[in-house]
Amino acid sequence: MDADLHAVQAGETKNKFPLNLVLRTIFHTIGCVVFCAVGPWGVVMCFGIDTNIHTDPLLKDLKYLTPFFLTNWNFAFQTIFLMLSLAHDVLEWMDKHESHFASRLRYWRDVIFSGLVVPFTLFVSLMFWCVYAVDRELVFPEVYDAVVPWWFNHCVHTNISIVILIETLLQARRRPRDFKKEIIFVTAVDLAYAVVYYAIYFFTHRWLYKVFGVMTWWQVCLYQLLIWGSSYTFYFLQFPINRLFHGDADETESAVSTDNVSTEEVMNGTKEEKNDKPFSEKSWSLKYRSSRNQIEDSNL
């Protein structure tokens, strides 16, 4: 009877319309197509700037310093994440999402999202548009409009936050997949980027962003602390915000690093939780031994 019941339940699960998977697949497909088109287009656009026609020094800097902007680093993080997400969606449609490869894919997808995509996407969008509202010349000079179309600016500074919002609505990530590794990613990018724009300043005597040029050194130090602090703040905020959308249910696999727990152990643990019976052999045995010890130790 139990076998028949499980078979019926399995059949109902397979026949159930996977709306969330459909939405995720559509979203990740569109995201991959857009990002994989916009990214190469931006590279060709920047490196194709003709300095004989566009003689402004800022456009020359844009041409040769493009790889060093955090905006482009973050765009690369999002592109990698969307590609991993789409690959995992395909495995789900093929019913291969419980394989070891899918588990590793899911692990890196979530680590990259939580440790790279969320903190730096929110930082880039928020910081860019706040400074832009005060004085666009400090972060996106008007001379850029001659080579950078408005839609490209929104693709790399606005739409990236929409990706975060939609992904948060579609996928539950209530807790870190691998807290240690995600913090290492945040710290590594923070330090690497600080080294990049300080090195550019000391070697070329020009700031990567003009906003630094209007500050004194103590203001630059405070701004640097703001940059580092905001990235960690955004990292830690994403999980309670996710729980607001998806509740605070326990997640067996997502809260455990697959580096330390094998896929079979995770799946077995999940099945035990789902099929937990009040009188399972293990729990009943433990209760029996505990009761027996209490009786034997009593004065009766």
Side-chain angles (χ1 to χ4, degrees):
M1 293 294 294
D2 291 339
D4 294 338
L5 179 61
H6 288 310
V8 172
Q9 291 175 345
E12 291 176 351
T13 302
K14 289 182 179 179
N15 293 329
K16 187 177 180 180
F17 186 64
L19 178 60
N20 183 268
L21 178 57
V22 171
L23 294 177
R24 282 190 284 117
T25 304
I26 294 174
F27 166 62
H28 293 147
T29 301
I30 295 174
C32 279
V33 171
V34 172
F35 275 65
C36 289
V38 171
W41 192 93
V43 173
V44 173
M45 174 193 69
C46 290
F47 287 105
I49 295 175
D50 189 346
T51 54
N52 294 322
I53 299 176
H54 304 288
T55 57
D56 193 297
L58 292 176
L59 292 179
K60 184 177 180 180
D61 290 345
L62 179 63
K63 177 176 182 177
Y64 295 109
L65 299 180
T66 288
F68 303 112
F69 287 105
L70 183 60
T71 295
N72 297 325
W73 291 20
N74 178 71
F75 198 83
F77 298 154
Q78 286 217 355
T79 303
I80 294 171
F81 161 73
L82 288 169
M83 293 174 68
L84 293 177
S85 297
L86 181 59
H88 188 271
D89 294 341
V90 172
L91 290 176
E92 283 198 61
W93 284 110
M94 297 171 62
D95 200 23
K96 302 291 185 181
H97 58 285
E98 303 298 350
S99 65
H100 177 71
F101 175 73
S103 178
R104 299 304 301 169
L105 193 67
R106 187 163 54 248
Y107 170 80
W108 285 109
R109 177 201 67 182
D110 292 341
V111 168
I112 289 174
F113 181 80
S114 298
L116 293 175
V117 173
V118 171
F120 296 108
T121 293
L122 295 179
F123 170 77
V124 167
S125 284
L126 183 64
M127 194 62 65
F128 177 85
W129 289 114
C130 285
V131 177
Y132 189 98
V134 174
D135 185 356
R136 67 168 294 181
E137 294 298 320
L138 298 178
V139 67
F140 195 82
E142 190 173 357
V143 68
Y144 283 7
D145 293 341
V147 295
V148 182
W150 65 268
W151 59 264
F152 184 86
N153 184 26
H154 283 290
C155 282
V156 297
H157 292 120
T158 306
N159 296 349
I160 54 175
S161 292
I162 297 176
V163 170
I164 297 296
L165 175 61
I166 297 177
E167 181 67 21
T168 300
L169 293 175
L170 293 178
Q171 183 67 56
R173 291 183 178 87
R174 302 175 179 90
R175 292 170 182 80
R177 169 74 70 164
D178 188 334
F179 175 75
K180 181 179 179 181
K181 190 164 291 183
E182 291 166 8
I183 286 295
I184 289 175
F185 280 0
V186 176
T187 304
V189 174
D190 277 338
L191 294 177
Y193 200 62
V195 169
V196 165
Y197 54 73
Y198 286 127
I200 290 175
Y201 173 76
F202 286 117
F203 283 107
T204 67
H205 303 291
R206 67 185 68 174
W207 287 106
L208 187 60
Y209 300 102
K210 290 181 66 176
V211 66
F212 287 98
V214 300
M215 298 180 183
T216 60
W217 271 107
W218 71 268
Q219 290 173 331
V220 169
C221 293
L222 290 178
Y223 193 67
Q224 181 65 69
L225 293 177
L226 174 63
I227 293 173
W228 287 341
S230 61
S231 62
Y232 288 106
T233 299
F234 292 139
Y235 170 77
F236 285 105
L237 278 178
Q238 65 179 300
F239 303 110
I241 291 176
N242 193 285
R243 290 196 290 271
L244 289 177
F245 290 106
H246 299 284
D248 197 16
D250 291 333
E251 293 176 284
T252 303
E253 185 180 4
S254 62
V256 180
S257 169
T258 53
D259 283 340
N260 301 322
V261 182
S262 66
T263 306
E264 292 183 358
E265 291 173 337
V266 171
M267 292 308 303
N268 289 337
T270 305
K271 291 179 180 179
E272 289 176 1
E273 288 182 0
K274 290 182 178 179
N275 298 327
D276 187 25
K277 298 179 181 179
F279 295 100
S280 62
E281 294 181 1
K282 183 176 180 180
S283 60
W284 177 253
S285 177
L286 291 174
K287 291 177 182 178
Y288 169 74
R289 288 199 298 269
S290 177
S291 301
R292 184 187 64 182
N293 292 335
Q294 292 176 2
I295 294 174
E296 292 176 349
D297 292 339
S298 66
N299 295 323
L300 294 177

